Structures are given as structure tokens and as C-alpha cells.
Amino acid sequence: MPTRTLGRTGVKVSLLGLGGYHMAVPKGEQESIRLVRFAIDHGVTFLDNCWDYHDGRSEERMGKALQDGYRGKVFLMTKLDGRTRATAEAQLEQSLRRLRTDVIDLVQMHEIIRMGDPEQIYGPGGAMEALVAAKKAGKIRFIGFTGHKDPDIHLAMLKMAERQGVPLDTVQMPLNVLDPHYRSFEKAVLPVLTQQGIGVLGMKPFAGGEIAKAGVVSPITCLHYPMSLPTSVVITGCDSLGVLKQALKAAYTFQPLGSERVSAILARTAELGARGEHEQFKTTERFDGTTKNPHWLTTANL
């Protein structure tokens, strides 16, 4: 399994990361545990999760999968929705309990999708106070944020972090073959992250399945494209062993795409990606969990 350094943290992580939402899609808990352990047994060290995924079941299942010595083999990340210090603290305690660990390697503020989010999180009594305190207490190692809506919101969050003097270790964002054509994170945010030495977590390599439906590029190419960018890890959802094996194949066979190949891919996807209609996380509320469940922002109740 190829590995890369997670920004300026110096930590080595697997090029492929296992998404926390899809691993809990199977009805049976044992199947989820099998997926997580199969991924780890085949070199995946970066595990993604979130406080709200499947009403906490994703964290619970992952926590069980990480027993029997598996916790020590991985870099564990989860996300919190709470925008206030009290809410974020309460959600973090739940995540620690569900994941059955004393320390979470990386905690990210989830769904930074509103222009008001940076000020709320970094303001007095905001969630960042909880993360900084948790880091000092040894409950978390690193701090980051994630969002899928608009590069300008990401840039506002980065500016706020710089202004407040609370450096971020990682940023998670959509990176795929459609992204360069509409409201592009690759064009607007990626250069800033690399310049500042912030770890880049690529997500939504299949644009929520839309690219596969269109059939313009192969599934392997969908993964090789963001892997060819200066990403630290590319996180993908795997809800079955077959999908996971395909992702593992992409990682093990990865060779950086040359400029001519990239140009050909972007030419083939230009029309499909031009209006953002196949990246619905950018243009609709379909993927906005905290819009559908606004109480996640202010309470620790699922």
C-alpha cells in the first residue's frame, strides 16, 4: 500500500482511506466489521468516520472492528457537527465511547457549508475551543475541517484559522474528475493547502456515484485522478467486499497520471461537469446532513 505524509504532521498514512458512512451500510454488524478489518489487513491505515453517521452506528461498528489489536494499526479520524464548545465537547465524548478509544488521531469540524460557520466555530464559546482543549488534554492529536459545498467557504475557514492563530492540520474536500469544471476545490483550495503544508483529504472521488452512472471514465480512473493530485489520502466509501477490493486494486496499481492523460480525462468530463448537476453535494441540499438535522449543530442528540 502506498503511503503519504499527512501535511506537516509528519504522520504517514495510506494513500487509500476507508469511508465511515458506507462501511456501516450493510445490515449486519459483522459484515461491517469484516470490511474494516479486511481493509486494514490489506494496508489501509486511514479510517474516516463521523459522529452522526447512521445515528452513531458507524462509530459503534468501527469501534468493535478496532478491537483485538486493530486500533494500534490505524490513523483514526472522526468528525463533529456541534458549533458551540459545549455541544462539540459532548459529541466528542460520545465518539470516544463509541470508537472504544482514549485518543482519536484526527477530529474535524464537519460540513463547513455555510459562510457563517467559520465565525461561529472560532468565535467565543465556539467549537474550536473544545477541540483545542481536547488536544491539550490528549484526547485528540490533530484538528481539521471538512465541507463539500463551495471553495469560497473553505477559503474563509482557512483565513479565519490564520487570523485566530489556531492552525489546522487537515482539510477534507471533494476531488474528482468533475470538480475542475465547476466551483472547483482543486483549483481554488488545493494550492493554498499545499502552500501552507496542510494535509489534503480527498473525498467523493465518484461524486456520489454520478460518474459511474455516466460511464465517462472507469472506476479505477476515478480513484487514480485524485491520487495523482497532491493529496495525503483519498477517502472512498465501500459498502461491500467487491467495492473495497476494487479500491484496493486502484491503490496498489497506482501510477501518477501524466499531463496528457489528465487533459484527455478533463476533455471527456467537461460537458458532464460544466454545471455541477452531477456534483449534487455542491448544488443541492441532498448531502447536507446538518441542514436536514439542524439540531446536530446545537445539541448532542441524534
Side-chain angles (χ1 to χ4, degrees):
M1 172 64 65
T3 61
R4 291 183 179 172
T5 304
L6 185 64
R8 57 172 172 263
T9 69
V11 177
K12 292 283 189 180
V13 294
S14 56
L15 175 57
L16 180 70
L18 182 68
Y21 183 88
H22 287 81
M23 52 73 58
V25 167
K27 291 183 179 180
E29 181 180 271
Q30 289 305 312
E31 183 60 19
S32 293
I33 293 173
R34 183 186 178 209
L35 284 173
V36 174
R37 292 189 172 182
F38 190 93
I40 298 170
D41 288 341
H42 289 81
V44 174
T45 63
F46 190 101
L47 300 184
D48 161 279
N49 219 307
C50 182
W51 170 82
D52 66 55
Y53 285 166
H54 297 283
D55 294 331
R57 289 193 303 278
S58 282
E59 289 187 333
E60 289 173 356
R61 292 184 180 188
M62 189 168 280
K64 290 179 180 179
L66 292 178
Q67 300 306 293
D68 305 320
Y70 277 89
R71 174 66 184 95
K73 300 178 180 181
V74 301
F75 184 93
L76 180 61
M77 179 269 278
T78 198
K79 317 179 198 84
L80 307 177
D81 297 317
R83 297 302 193 245
T84 68
R85 175 170 183 161
T87 303
E89 285 177 343
Q91 291 178 2
L92 176 60
E93 290 304 316
Q94 290 182 22
S95 291
L96 286 163
R97 185 171 66 252
R98 292 186 199 130
L99 291 167
R100 302 189 179 199
T101 186
D102 295 325
V103 183
I104 299 172
D105 296 297
L106 169 62
V107 173
Q108 300 192 116
M109 294 309 309
H110 193 215
E111 287 196 359
I112 306 304
I113 57 176
R114 309 163 188 85
M115 270 301 183
D117 284 340
E119 186 172 351
Q120 190 173 13
I121 288 169
Y122 275 96
M128 191 54 65
E129 291 183 2
L131 297 189
V132 171
K135 186 175 181 179
K136 289 180 180 178
K139 294 181 179 181
I140 67 178
R141 296 174 62 200
F142 304 108
I143 298 171
F145 78 90
T146 179
H148 54 253
K149 189 64 66 181
D150 192 320
D152 286 344
I153 301 174
H154 269 55
L155 293 174
M157 188 72 168
L158 289 166
K159 288 178 182 176
M160 180 64 75
E162 187 175 7
R163 190 157 59 242
Q164 296 294 327
V166 182
L168 294 164
D169 299 300
T170 62
V171 171
Q172 186 168 336
M173 59 190 186
L175 292 170
N176 58 62
V177 297
L178 300 183
D179 172 78
H181 306 299
Y182 180 85
R183 209 184 283 172
S184 177
F185 288 88
E186 177 186 334
K187 292 180 179 179
V189 183
L190 187 58
V192 178
L193 300 182
T194 54
Q195 181 182 17
Q196 296 184 13
I198 296 173
V200 180
L201 312 183
M203 66 172 172
K204 303 193 184 301
F206 296 96
E210 290 294 310
I211 303 172
K213 291 178 187 176
V216 289
V217 295
S218 71
I220 296 294
T221 299
C222 285
L223 290 166
H224 282 178
Y225 180 85
M227 287 176 177
S228 295
L229 299 172
T231 44
S232 299
V233 58
V234 174
I235 301 165
T236 188
C238 300
D239 56 9
S240 70
L241 197 58
V243 173
L244 174 56
K245 286 181 177 179
Q246 177 180 259
L248 288 167
K249 180 182 178 181
Y252 278 107
T253 62
F254 172 70
Q255 294 291 331
L257 300 176
S259 58
E260 290 186 7
R261 177 81 171 117
V262 169
S263 295
I265 291 169
L266 295 182
R268 292 183 66 184
T269 57
E271 184 177 353
L272 193 70
R275 293 175 297 279
E277 58 190 16
H278 295 285
E279 289 186 287
Q280 294 184 17
F281 40 84
K282 293 179 180 178
T283 56
T284 75
E285 294 182 350
R286 177 186 165 195
F287 289 79
D288 301 354
T290 53
T291 299
K292 299 172 184 175
N293 300 277
H295 63 283
W296 291 350
L297 299 170
T298 56
T299 76
N301 301 322
L302 287 164

